[in-house]
Coordinates of all heavy atoms in Angstrom, one line a residue:
M1 N 56.8 47.1 -25.0 CA 58.2 47.4 -25.5 C 58.0 48.3 -26.8 O 57.4 47.9 -27.7 CB 58.9 46.1 -25.8 CG 60.3 46.3 -26.5 SD 61.2 44.8 -26.8 CE 62.1 44.7 -25.4
N2 N 58.7 49.4 -26.8 CA 58.6 50.2 -28.0 C 59.7 49.9 -28.9 O 60.7 49.2 -28.6 CB 58.5 51.7 -27.6 CG 59.8 52.2 -26.9 OD1 60.9 51.7 -27.2 ND2 59.7 53.2 -26.1
V3 N 59.6 50.5 -30.1 CA 60.5 50.1 -31.2 C 61.9 50.7 -30.9 O 62.9 50.0 -31.2 CB 60.0 50.7 -32.5 CG1 61.0 50.5 -33.7 CG2 58.6 50.1 -32.9
K4 N 62.0 51.9 -30.3 CA 63.3 52.4 -30.0 C 64.1 51.6 -29.1 O 65.3 51.3 -29.2 CB 63.1 53.9 -29.5 CG 64.5 54.5 -29.2 CD 64.3 55.9 -28.6 CE 65.6 56.5 -28.2 NZ 65.4 57.8 -27.5
N5 N 63.4 51.1 -28.0 CA 64.0 50.3 -27.0 C 64.5 49.0 -27.7 O 65.6 48.5 -27.4 CB 63.1 50.0 -25.9 CG 63.7 49.3 -24.7 OD1 64.9 49.4 -24.5 ND2 62.9 48.6 -23.9
F6 N 63.7 48.4 -28.5 CA 64.0 47.2 -29.2 C 65.3 47.3 -30.1 O 66.2 46.5 -30.0 CB 62.9 46.7 -30.1 CG 63.2 45.5 -30.9 CD1 63.2 44.2 -30.4 CD2 63.4 45.7 -32.3 CE1 63.5 43.1 -31.2 CE2 63.7 44.6 -33.1 CZ 63.8 43.3 -32.5
V7 N 65.3 48.4 -30.8 CA 66.5 48.7 -31.7 C 67.8 48.9 -30.8 O 68.8 48.3 -31.1 CB 66.2 49.9 -32.6 CG1 67.5 50.3 -33.3 CG2 65.1 49.6 -33.6
V8 N 67.7 49.7 -29.8 CA 68.8 49.9 -28.9 C 69.3 48.6 -28.3 O 70.5 48.3 -28.3 CB 68.5 51.0 -27.8 CG1 69.6 51.0 -26.8 CG2 68.2 52.3 -28.4
E9 N 68.4 47.8 -27.8 CA 68.8 46.5 -27.2 C 69.4 45.6 -28.2 O 70.3 44.8 -27.9 CB 67.6 45.9 -26.5 CG 67.3 46.6 -25.2 CD 66.1 45.9 -24.5 OE1 65.6 44.9 -24.9 OE2 65.7 46.5 -23.4
S10 N 68.9 45.6 -29.4 CA 69.4 44.7 -30.5 C 70.8 45.1 -30.8 O 71.7 44.3 -31.0 CB 68.5 44.8 -31.7 OG 67.2 44.3 -31.4
I11 N 71.0 46.4 -31.0 CA 72.4 46.9 -31.3 C 73.4 46.5 -30.2 O 74.5 46.0 -30.4 CB 72.4 48.4 -31.6 CG1 71.6 48.7 -32.9 CG2 73.8 49.0 -31.6 CD1 71.4 50.1 -33.1
D12 N 73.0 46.7 -28.9 CA 73.8 46.3 -27.8 C 74.1 44.9 -27.8 O 75.3 44.5 -27.5 CB 73.1 46.7 -26.5 CG 73.9 46.4 -25.3 OD1 75.1 46.9 -25.2 OD2 73.4 45.6 -24.4
E13 N 73.1 44.0 -28.1 CA 73.4 42.6 -28.1 C 74.3 42.2 -29.2 O 75.2 41.4 -29.0 CB 72.0 41.9 -28.2 CG 72.2 40.4 -28.1 CD 70.9 39.6 -28.0 OE1 69.9 40.3 -27.7 OE2 70.9 38.4 -28.2
M14 N 74.2 42.8 -30.4 CA 75.1 42.5 -31.5 C 76.5 42.9 -31.2 O 77.4 42.3 -31.6 CB 74.6 43.2 -32.8 CG 73.2 42.6 -33.3 SD 73.3 40.9 -33.7 CE 74.0 41.0 -35.3
K15 N 76.7 44.0 -30.5 CA 78.0 44.5 -30.2 C 78.7 43.8 -29.1 O 79.9 43.5 -29.1 CB 78.0 46.0 -29.9 CG 77.8 46.9 -31.0 CD 77.8 48.4 -30.6 CE 77.7 49.3 -31.7 NZ 77.7 50.7 -31.3
N16 N 77.9 43.4 -28.0 CA 78.5 43.0 -26.8 C 78.3 41.5 -26.4 O 79.1 40.9 -25.6 CB 78.1 43.9 -25.6 CG 78.4 45.3 -25.8 OD1 79.5 45.6 -26.2 ND2 77.5 46.2 -25.5
K17 N 77.3 40.9 -27.0 CA 76.9 39.5 -26.5 C 77.2 38.5 -27.6 O 77.3 37.3 -27.3 CB 75.5 39.5 -26.1 CG 75.2 40.3 -24.9 CD 73.8 40.3 -24.4 CE 73.5 41.1 -23.2 NZ 72.1 41.1 -22.8
V18 N 77.2 38.9 -28.9 CA 77.4 38.0 -29.9 C 78.9 37.7 -30.1 O 79.7 38.6 -30.1 CB 76.8 38.5 -31.3 CG1 77.2 37.6 -32.4 CG2 75.3 38.7 -31.1
T19 N 79.3 36.4 -30.2 CA 80.7 36.1 -30.5 C 80.9 36.0 -32.0 O 80.4 35.1 -32.6 CB 81.1 34.8 -29.8 OG1 80.7 34.9 -28.4 CG2 82.5 34.4 -30.0
W20 N 81.7 36.9 -32.5 CA 81.9 36.9 -34.0 C 83.2 36.1 -34.3 O 84.2 36.2 -33.5 CB 82.1 38.3 -34.5 CG 80.8 39.2 -34.3 CD1 80.6 40.0 -33.3 CD2 79.7 39.1 -35.1 NE1 79.3 40.6 -33.4 CE2 78.8 40.0 -34.5 CE3 79.3 38.4 -36.2 CZ2 77.5 40.3 -35.1 CZ3 78.1 38.7 -36.8 CH2 77.2 39.6 -36.2
P21 N 83.2 35.3 -35.4 CA 84.3 34.5 -35.7 C 85.5 35.4 -36.2 O 85.3 36.5 -36.7 CB 83.8 33.6 -36.8 CG 82.7 34.3 -37.4 CD 82.1 35.1 -36.3
K22 N 86.7 34.9 -36.1 CA 87.9 35.6 -36.6 C 87.8 35.5 -38.1 O 87.2 34.5 -38.7 CB 89.2 35.0 -36.1 CG 89.3 35.0 -34.6 CD 89.5 36.4 -34.1 CE 89.7 36.4 -32.6 NZ 89.2 37.6 -32.0
Y23 N 88.5 36.4 -38.8 CA 88.4 36.4 -40.3 C 89.0 35.2 -40.9 O 88.5 34.6 -41.8 CB 89.1 37.7 -40.8 CG 89.1 37.8 -42.3 CD1 87.9 38.2 -42.9 CD2 90.2 37.5 -43.1 CE1 87.8 38.3 -44.3 CE2 90.1 37.6 -44.5 CZ 89.0 38.0 -45.1 OH 88.9 38.1 -46.4
S24 N 90.1 34.7 -40.3 CA 90.8 33.5 -40.8 C 89.8 32.3 -40.7 O 89.8 31.4 -41.6 CB 92.1 33.2 -40.1 OG 91.9 33.0 -38.7
S25 N 89.1 32.2 -39.6 CA 88.2 31.1 -39.4 C 87.0 31.2 -40.4 O 86.6 30.2 -40.9 CB 87.6 31.1 -37.9 OG 86.6 30.2 -37.7
L26 N 86.5 32.4 -40.6 CA 85.5 32.6 -41.5 C 85.9 32.2 -42.9 O 85.2 31.6 -43.7 CB 85.1 34.1 -41.5 CG 83.8 34.5 -42.2 CD1 82.6 33.8 -41.6 CD2 83.7 36.0 -42.1
Q27 N 87.1 32.6 -43.3 CA 87.7 32.3 -44.6 C 87.9 30.8 -44.8 O 87.5 30.2 -45.8 CB 89.0 33.0 -44.7 CG 89.5 33.2 -46.2 CD 90.7 34.1 -46.2 OE1 91.5 34.2 -45.2 NE2 91.0 34.7 -47.4
S28 N 88.4 30.1 -43.8 CA 88.6 28.6 -43.9 C 87.2 27.9 -44.0 O 87.1 26.9 -44.8 CB 89.4 28.1 -42.8 OG 88.8 28.2 -41.6
N29 N 86.2 28.4 -43.3 CA 84.9 27.8 -43.3 C 84.3 28.0 -44.7 O 83.6 27.1 -45.2 CB 84.0 28.3 -42.2 CG 84.4 27.7 -40.8 OD1 85.1 26.7 -40.7 ND2 84.0 28.4 -39.8
A30 N 84.5 29.2 -45.2 CA 83.9 29.5 -46.5 C 84.5 28.6 -47.6 O 83.8 28.1 -48.5 CB 84.1 30.9 -46.9
V31 N 85.8 28.3 -47.5 CA 86.5 27.4 -48.5 C 86.0 26.0 -48.3 O 85.7 25.3 -49.3 CB 88.0 27.5 -48.3 CG1 88.7 26.4 -49.1 CG2 88.6 28.9 -48.7
L32 N 85.8 25.6 -47.1 CA 85.2 24.3 -46.8 C 83.9 24.1 -47.4 O 83.6 23.1 -48.0 CB 85.2 24.0 -45.3 CG 84.6 22.7 -44.8 CD1 85.5 21.6 -45.3 CD2 84.5 22.7 -43.3
V33 N 83.0 25.1 -47.2 CA 81.7 25.0 -47.8 C 81.7 25.0 -49.3 O 81.0 24.2 -50.0 CB 80.8 26.2 -47.3 CG1 79.5 26.4 -48.1 CG2 80.5 26.1 -45.9
L34 N 82.6 25.8 -49.9 CA 82.8 25.8 -51.4 C 83.2 24.4 -51.9 O 82.6 23.9 -52.9 CB 83.8 26.9 -51.8 CG 84.0 27.0 -53.3 CD1 82.8 27.4 -54.0 CD2 85.1 28.0 -53.5
V35 N 84.2 23.8 -51.3 CA 84.7 22.5 -51.7 C 83.6 21.5 -51.5 O 83.4 20.6 -52.4 CB 86.0 22.2 -50.9 CG1 86.4 20.7 -51.1 CG2 87.1 23.1 -51.3
A36 N 82.9 21.5 -50.4 CA 81.9 20.5 -50.2 C 80.8 20.7 -51.2 O 80.2 19.7 -51.7 CB 81.3 20.6 -48.7
S37 N 80.4 21.9 -51.5 CA 79.4 22.1 -52.5 C 79.8 21.6 -53.9 O 79.0 21.0 -54.6 CB 79.1 23.6 -52.6 OG 78.6 24.1 -51.4
L38 N 81.0 21.8 -54.3 CA 81.5 21.3 -55.5 C 81.5 19.8 -55.6 O 81.1 19.2 -56.6 CB 82.9 21.8 -55.8 CG 83.0 23.3 -56.1 CD1 84.5 23.8 -56.2 CD2 82.3 23.6 -57.4
I39 N 81.9 19.2 -54.5 CA 81.9 17.7 -54.4 C 80.5 17.2 -54.5 O 80.2 16.2 -55.3 CB 82.6 17.2 -53.1 CG1 84.1 17.5 -53.2 CG2 82.3 15.7 -52.9 CD1 84.8 17.2 -51.8
F40 N 79.6 17.8 -53.8 CA 78.2 17.3 -53.9 C 77.6 17.5 -55.3 O 76.9 16.7 -55.8 CB 77.3 18.1 -52.9 CG 77.4 17.6 -51.5 CD1 77.6 18.4 -50.4 CD2 77.4 16.2 -51.2 CE1 77.7 18.0 -49.1 CE2 77.5 15.7 -49.9 CZ 77.7 16.6 -48.9
A41 N 78.0 18.6 -56.0 CA 77.5 18.9 -57.3 C 78.0 17.8 -58.3 O 77.3 17.4 -59.1 CB 77.9 20.3 -57.8
V42 N 79.3 17.5 -58.1 CA 79.9 16.4 -59.0 C 79.2 15.1 -58.8 O 78.8 14.4 -59.7 CB 81.4 16.3 -58.8 CG1 82.0 15.1 -59.5 CG2 82.1 17.6 -59.3
V43 N 79.0 14.7 -57.5 CA 78.3 13.4 -57.2 C 76.9 13.4 -57.7 O 76.5 12.4 -58.4 CB 78.4 13.2 -55.7 CG1 77.5 12.0 -55.3 CG2 79.8 13.0 -55.2
I44 N 76.2 14.5 -57.5 CA 74.8 14.5 -58.0 C 74.8 14.5 -59.5 O 73.9 13.8 -60.2 CB 74.0 15.7 -57.4 CG1 73.8 15.5 -56.0 CG2 72.7 16.0 -58.2 CD1 73.3 16.7 -55.2
G45 N 75.7 15.2 -60.2 CA 75.8 15.1 -61.6 C 76.1 13.8 -62.1 O 75.5 13.3 -63.2
L46 N 77.0 13.0 -61.5 CA 77.3 11.7 -61.9 C 76.1 10.7 -61.7 O 75.8 9.9 -62.6 CB 78.5 11.1 -61.1 CG 79.9 11.8 -61.5 CD1 81.0 11.3 -60.5 CD2 80.2 11.5 -62.9
I47 N 75.4 10.9 -60.6 CA 74.2 10.1 -60.4 C 73.2 10.4 -61.5 O 72.6 9.5 -62.0 CB 73.6 10.4 -59.0 CG1 74.6 9.8 -57.9 CG2 72.2 9.8 -58.8 CD1 74.2 10.2 -56.5
N48 N 73.0 11.7 -61.8 CA 72.1 12.1 -62.8 C 72.5 11.5 -64.2 O 71.6 11.0 -64.9 CB 72.0 13.6 -62.9 CG 70.9 14.1 -63.9 OD1 69.9 13.4 -64.0 ND2 71.2 15.1 -64.5
L49 N 73.8 11.5 -64.5 CA 74.2 11.0 -65.8 C 74.0 9.5 -65.8 O 73.6 8.9 -66.8 CB 75.7 11.3 -65.9 CG 76.4 10.9 -67.2 CD1 75.7 11.6 -68.4 CD2 77.9 11.1 -67.2
G50 N 74.3 8.8 -64.7 CA 74.1 7.3 -64.7 C 72.6 7.0 -64.8 O 72.2 6.1 -65.6
F51 N 71.8 7.7 -64.1 CA 70.3 7.5 -64.2 C 69.8 7.7 -65.6 O 69.0 7.0 -66.2 CB 69.6 8.3 -63.2 CG 68.1 8.0 -63.1 CD1 67.7 6.9 -62.6 CD2 67.2 8.9 -63.6 CE1 66.3 6.6 -62.5 CE2 65.8 8.7 -63.5 CZ 65.4 7.5 -63.0
E52 N 70.3 8.8 -66.3 CA 69.9 9.1 -67.6 C 70.3 8.0 -68.6 O 69.5 7.6 -69.4 CB 70.6 10.4 -68.1 CG 70.2 10.8 -69.5 CD 70.9 12.1 -69.9 OE1 71.6 12.7 -69.0 OE2 70.7 12.5 -71.0
N53 N 71.5 7.4 -68.4 CA 72.0 6.4 -69.3 C 71.2 5.1 -69.1 O 70.8 4.4 -70.0 CB 73.5 6.1 -69.1 CG 74.3 7.2 -69.7 OD1 73.9 7.9 -70.6 ND2 75.5 7.4 -69.1
I54 N 70.8 4.8 -67.8 CA 70.0 3.6 -67.5 C 68.7 3.8 -68.1 O 68.1 2.8 -68.7 CB 69.9 3.4 -66.0 CG1 71.3 2.9 -65.4 CG2 68.9 2.4 -65.6 CD1 71.4 2.9 -63.9
M55 N 68.1 4.9 -68.0 CA 66.7 5.1 -68.6 C 66.7 5.0 -70.1 O 65.8 4.5 -70.7 CB 66.2 6.5 -68.1 CG 65.9 6.6 -66.7 SD 64.8 5.3 -66.0 CE 63.3 5.7 -66.8
K56 N 67.8 5.6 -70.7 CA 67.9 5.5 -72.2 C 68.0 4.0 -72.6 O 67.4 3.5 -73.5 CB 69.1 6.2 -72.7 CG 68.9 7.7 -72.9 CD 70.1 8.4 -73.4 CE 70.0 9.9 -73.5 NZ 71.2 10.5 -74.0
W57 N 68.8 3.2 -71.9 CA 69.0 1.8 -72.2 C 67.7 1.1 -72.0 O 67.3 0.3 -72.8 CB 70.1 1.2 -71.3 CG 70.2 -0.3 -71.3 CD1 70.8 -1.0 -72.3 CD2 69.6 -1.2 -70.4 NE1 70.6 -2.3 -72.0 CE2 69.9 -2.5 -70.8 CE3 68.9 -1.0 -69.2 CZ2 69.5 -3.6 -70.1 CZ3 68.5 -2.1 -68.5 CH2 68.8 -3.4 -69.0
F58 N 67.0 1.4 -70.9 CA 65.7 0.8 -70.6 C 64.7 1.0 -71.7 O 64.0 0.2 -72.2 CB 65.2 1.2 -69.2 CG 63.9 0.6 -68.8 CD1 63.8 -0.7 -68.4 CD2 62.7 1.3 -68.9 CE1 62.6 -1.3 -68.1 CE2 61.5 0.7 -68.5 CZ 61.5 -0.6 -68.1
Y59 N 64.6 2.3 -72.1 CA 63.6 2.7 -73.1 C 64.0 2.1 -74.5 O 63.1 1.9 -75.3 CB 63.4 4.2 -73.2 CG 62.6 4.7 -72.0 CD1 63.0 5.8 -71.3 CD2 61.4 4.2 -71.7 CE1 62.3 6.3 -70.2 CE2 60.7 4.6 -70.6 CZ 61.1 5.7 -69.9 OH 60.4 6.2 -68.8
D60 N 65.2 2.0 -74.8 CA 65.7 1.4 -76.0 C 65.3 -0.1 -76.2 O 65.3 -0.7 -77.3 CB 67.2 1.5 -76.3 CG 67.5 3.0 -76.6 OD1 66.6 3.7 -77.0 OD2 68.7 3.4 -76.5
L61 N 65.1 -0.8 -75.0 CA 64.7 -2.2 -75.1 C 63.3 -2.4 -75.7 O 63.0 -3.4 -76.2 CB 64.7 -2.8 -73.6 CG 66.0 -3.0 -73.0 CD1 65.9 -3.5 -71.6 CD2 66.9 -3.9 -73.8
F62 N 62.5 -1.3 -75.6 CA 61.1 -1.5 -76.1 C 60.9 -0.8 -77.4 O 61.2 0.2 -77.8 CB 60.1 -0.9 -75.0 CG 60.2 -1.7 -73.7 CD1 60.8 -1.1 -72.6 CD2 59.6 -2.9 -73.6 CE1 60.9 -1.8 -71.4 CE2 59.7 -3.6 -72.4 CZ 60.3 -3.1 -71.3

């Protein structure tokens, strides 16, 4: 298989065989990912803060 044939077939597949999402679906999924990322960041931040406070308390005992 030569490179030209590979490129031509790849372009054909991207144009005719790939199902691309609608813009509204893409937008709503992007918002969903953003919100989920923010929620995970807050949860991990709270866990980190709690762990930091527990470690400070533990080390202050000694």
Side-chain angles (χ1 to χ4, degrees):
M1 173 181 266
N2 65 28
V3 175
K4 181 182 175 187
N5 189 26
F6 174 76
V7 171
V8 169
E9 287 181 6
S10 296
I11 291 171
D12 180 58
E13 186 168 344
M14 293 299 280
K15 284 183 178 178
N16 300 317
K17 295 180 182 176
V18 174
T19 305
W20 296 99
K22 302 289 183 214
Y23 182 73
S24 60
S25 173
L26 191 64
Q27 201 172 21
S28 64
N29 288 340
V31 170
L32 179 65
V33 168
L34 180 63
V35 170
S37 297
L38 289 173
I39 290 171
F40 284 133
V42 168
V43 168
I44 290 172
L46 290 173
I47 290 170
N48 186 35
L49 184 63
F51 186 70
E52 181 181 355
N53 288 334
I54 289 170
M55 293 307 290
K56 280 182 184 178
W57 170 78
F58 181 74
Y59 285 130
D60 286 341
L61 289 177
F62 297 105

